[in-house]
Amino acid sequence: MSESQAVVSTTSGSRYINRLCKHWQHKLSVAHDEHQGRVTFDGGVCHMRAEAGALHLQLTAEDAATRERLEEVVAVHLERMANRETLDIVWQPAVT
């Protein structure tokens, strides 16, 4: 398994989780509530959690290549959902 994480500074984390999950629920397995979400992709899972001032992203993938691809997929979609806010999404190896 290959894991990474990102902490994105935003006050709109809950709104982004809701928008992303609604966007992906038509094609992927999705579970979410007001403060957290989980999206199961082919080859990996992204967990999202909103806190005051931050959106926490955790990716687990079957291998490094899949993880890198999913990091890009999540980042591109998140940036699209945040069309009026510039987000700094920096993926780091997960701390276990």
Side-chain angles (χ1 to χ4, degrees):
M1 295 304 256
S2 184
E3 297 183 5
S4 62
Q5 60 190 16
V7 179
V8 181
S9 179
T10 181
T11 58
S12 301
S14 291
R15 183 167 60 96
Y16 297 151
I17 289 171
N18 185 50
R19 292 184 75 190
L20 286 169
C21 288
K22 284 185 176 184
H23 173 74
W24 280 320
Q25 72 185 2
H26 303 290
K27 295 182 179 182
L28 303 168
S29 175
V30 171
H32 69 98
D33 62 29
E34 187 177 334
H35 300 289
Q36 59 189 354
R38 184 191 78 242
V39 180
T40 303
F41 296 95
D42 184 29
V45 177
C46 181
H47 293 272
M48 301 171 278
R49 182 175 34 80
E51 292 183 355
L55 173 61
H56 296 262
L57 306 170
Q58 180 88 29
L59 258 174
T60 303
E62 57 192 24
D63 56 47
T66 302
R67 178 189 44 79
E68 290 173 6
R69 179 180 57 82
L70 292 177
E71 287 173 352
E72 181 69 16
V73 167
V74 171
V76 165
H77 281 79
L78 181 56
E79 288 168 343
R80 195 175 301 149
M81 298 297 164
N83 56 2
R84 292 187 204 130
E85 181 179 9
T86 301
L87 300 178
D88 187 22
I89 306 167
V90 179
W91 293 98
Q92 301 291 328
V95 178
T96 55

